[in-house]
């Protein structure tokens, strides 16, 4: 009987399967029909992804059900639309949880990014909707913008309510440090959007994966967390190409779009571990502590971080408004018997 050498077996194995040996692979999509074949552990959604999925004919029944729920809850039009949005986000989450063994991330409205109390209230409402549907809060990550207010909301949700949080729109090292000190479950530092900023704001237009500023940012955060034993885990997000993904092999988790998951499943190049606890322990990063004023100053010193955080909030908010407009139109049709 012939035996296949380990090197040859690796050549036959997809980059995706090799990656999964070192990193938890997460699907970044609202289109849950697109994730079956890639067998991710978890899935993440955001307002832009839900908007895109809600426009697809395959998911109209979820939108229709959410609108019926919103109307039945009563109240003003604003309240009906808000209840419909919450129900829609959770409905997508419930469908995703039928496809993944782990957790789904559901995002709090980006328009609440500077209001800690409103973020807390919205997060607890989303968790209540999941629990009403029979899903334990342990299978849900609440996504919050990594503003100071968002980070403090995450801290309180974790400490007082046992709700796990995924801090998103994270671009600066200050944001990462504040999240670690808040002891949130998980952070989603963005890779591709950092690269976008550098291409737009410097003369350099291309980077090899190992020198990509987004890859370097996530690597630094991962090393800092592991060196100092923080419990918060790192999930790299917002990828532009598979080179960025492979350059972060070994990161705790990576959330990847279906398009890039498809590319990785067809790629048979060798994937090697780039990040590890051992390497992190050997790095020379100094431990820092940030109170609110230090956080605001340090974050403000990072022009890219400031611009990408505010830009990210604006984009998610704009897509939330588009989704609301779509819901209002459909709601009117339902009420008019169309």
């Amino acid at each position: 009987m012939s035996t296949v050498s380990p090197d040859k077996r690796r050549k036959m194995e997809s980059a995706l399967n090799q990656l999964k040996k070192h990193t938890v692979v997460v699907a970044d999509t609202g289109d849950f029909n697109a994730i079956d074949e890639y067998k991710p552990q978890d899935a993440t959604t955001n307002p832009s992804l839900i908007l895109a999925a809600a426009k697809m004919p395959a998911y109209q029944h979820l939108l229709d059900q959410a609108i019926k729920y919103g109307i039945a809850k009563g109240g003003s039009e604003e309240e009906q639309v808000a209840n419909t949005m919450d129900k829609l986000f959770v409905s997508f989450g419930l469908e995703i949880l039928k496809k993944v063994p782990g957790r789904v991330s559901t995002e709090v409205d980006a328009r609440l990014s500077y209001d800690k109390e409103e973020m807390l209230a919205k997060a607890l409402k989303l968790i209540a909707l999941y629990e009403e549907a029979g899903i334990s809060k342990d299978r849900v990550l609440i996504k919050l913008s990594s503003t100071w207010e968002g980070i403090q909301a995450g801290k309180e949700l974790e400490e007082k309510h046992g709700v796990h949080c995924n801090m998103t729109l994270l671009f600066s090292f200050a944001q990462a440090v504040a999240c670690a000190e808040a002891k949130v479950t998980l952070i989603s530092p963005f890779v591709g959007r950092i690269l976008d900023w550098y291409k737009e704001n410097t003369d350099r237009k291309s980077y090899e994966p190992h020198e990509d500023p987004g890859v370097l940012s996530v690597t630094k955060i991962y090393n800092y967390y592991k060196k100092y034993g923080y419990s918060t885990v790192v999930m790299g997000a917002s990828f532009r190409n598979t080179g960025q993904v492979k350059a972060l092999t070994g990161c705790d988790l990576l959330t990847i779009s279906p398009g890039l998951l498809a590319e990785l499943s067809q790629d048979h190049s060798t994937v090697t571990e780039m990040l590890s606890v051992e390497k992190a322990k050997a790095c020379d990063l100094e431990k820092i502590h940030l109170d609110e004023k230090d956080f605001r100053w340090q974050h403000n010193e990072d022009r890219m971080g400031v611009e990408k955080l505010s830009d990210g909030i604006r984009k998610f908010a704009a897509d939330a408004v588009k989704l609301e407009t779509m819901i209002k139109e459909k709601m009117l049709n339902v009420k008019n018997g169309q």
Side-chain angles (χ1 to χ4, degrees), residues 113-116 119 145-153 172-178 181 288-303 305-307 309 313:
S113 296
Y114 297 99
D115 190 329
K116 177 190 160 191
M119 280 187 273
S145 300
S146 298
T147 55
W148 178 259
E149 295 80 5
I151 296 165
Q152 300 317 304
S172 72
F173 190 64
Q175 288 175 294
V177 171
E181 293 193 316
I288 58 172
H289 163 68
L290 299 178
D291 60 15
E292 182 178 353
K293 64 180 184 298
D294 292 331
F295 166 83
R296 293 192 185 281
W297 178 257
Q298 293 287 346
H299 178 67
N300 192 65
E301 285 288 276
D302 184 338
R303 185 183 145 210
V306 170
E307 291 179 9
L309 172 60
I313 290 170

Side-chain angles (χ1 to χ4, degrees), residues 47-247:
S48 305
L49 294 173
I50 298 290
L51 174 65
K55 290 176 178 174
M56 296 179 190
Y59 303 124
Q60 286 314 295
H61 66 290
L62 292 181
L63 185 54
D64 293 341
Q65 286 166 12
I67 285 168
K68 280 179 188 161
Y69 171 88
I71 293 170
K73 291 288 280 185
S76 65
E77 183 193 44
E78 196 178 316
E79 287 167 328
Q80 289 180 33
V81 170
N83 284 325
T84 299
M85 288 268 279
D86 294 342
K87 184 69 170 177
L88 185 65
F89 276 52
V90 170
S91 295
F92 271 96
L94 292 171
E95 292 299 324
I96 286 166
L97 287 172
K98 293 175 186 174
K99 309 263 186 184
V100 300
R103 303 171 296 190
V104 68
S105 289
T106 297
E107 190 148 344
V108 164
D109 194 322
R111 291 170 292 180
L112 306 178
S113 296
Y114 297 99
D115 190 329
K116 177 190 160 191
E117 297 307 321
E118 285 291 332
M119 280 187 273
L120 280 171
K122 182 65 80 178
L124 293 173
K125 188 178 174 193
L126 292 169
I127 290 293
L129 284 170
Y130 274 110
E131 290 183 333
E132 279 172 28
I135 296 295
S136 157
K137 63 187 175 188
D138 289 335
R139 291 200 71 198
V140 181
L141 286 165
I142 292 294
K143 281 178 84 175
L144 300 161
S145 300
S146 298
T147 55
W148 178 259
E149 295 80 5
I151 296 165
Q152 300 317 304
K155 184 175 193 277
E156 192 164 318
L157 284 165
E158 300 265 6
E159 280 178 6
K160 294 188 179 173
H161 303 281
V163 170
H164 301 296
C165 296
N166 167 354
M167 303 308 301
T168 190
L169 294 176
L170 194 150
F171 302 97
S172 72
F173 190 64
Q175 288 175 294
V177 171
C179 286
E181 293 193 316
K183 296 182 179 170
V184 296
T185 296
L186 180 150
I187 61 165
S188 293
F190 281 38
V191 179
R193 292 196 201 185
I194 291 179
L195 175 64
D196 296 344
W197 189 91
Y198 277 88
K199 282 182 172 180
E200 286 163 16
N201 291 279
T202 67
D203 293 334
R204 191 158 176 189
K205 302 305 170 195
S206 67
Y207 295 83
E208 289 300 310
H210 69 276
E211 54 182 7
D212 182 303
V215 169
L216 295 177
S217 171
V218 175
T219 301
K220 180 182 178 182
I221 291 165
Y222 174 91
N223 286 342
Y224 183 81
Y225 277 24
K226 302 309 174 199
K227 183 177 176 75
Y228 293 109
Y230 287 109
S231 59
T232 302
V233 294
V234 180
M235 179 169 73
S238 157
F239 292 102
R240 297 290 175 260
N241 54 65
T242 58
Q244 291 176 326
V245 175
K246 291 190 278 189

Side-chain angles (χ1 to χ4, degrees), residues 275-324:
L275 276 61
S276 70
V277 175
E278 292 70 36
K279 286 181 192 172
K281 295 282 187 196
C283 78
D284 60 357
L285 292 165
E286 283 184 26
K287 191 171 188 180
I288 58 172
H289 163 68
L290 299 178
D291 60 15
E292 182 178 353
K293 64 180 184 298
D294 292 331
F295 166 83
R296 293 192 185 281
W297 178 257
Q298 293 287 346
H299 178 67
N300 192 65
E301 285 288 276
D302 184 338
R303 185 183 145 210
M304 177 278 297
V306 170
E307 291 179 9
K308 293 312 288 183
L309 172 60
S310 55
D311 179 59
I313 290 170
R314 280 193 301 272
K315 283 179 175 160
F316 281 162
D319 282 343
V321 170
K322 284 178 193 168
L323 191 52
E324 278 184 350

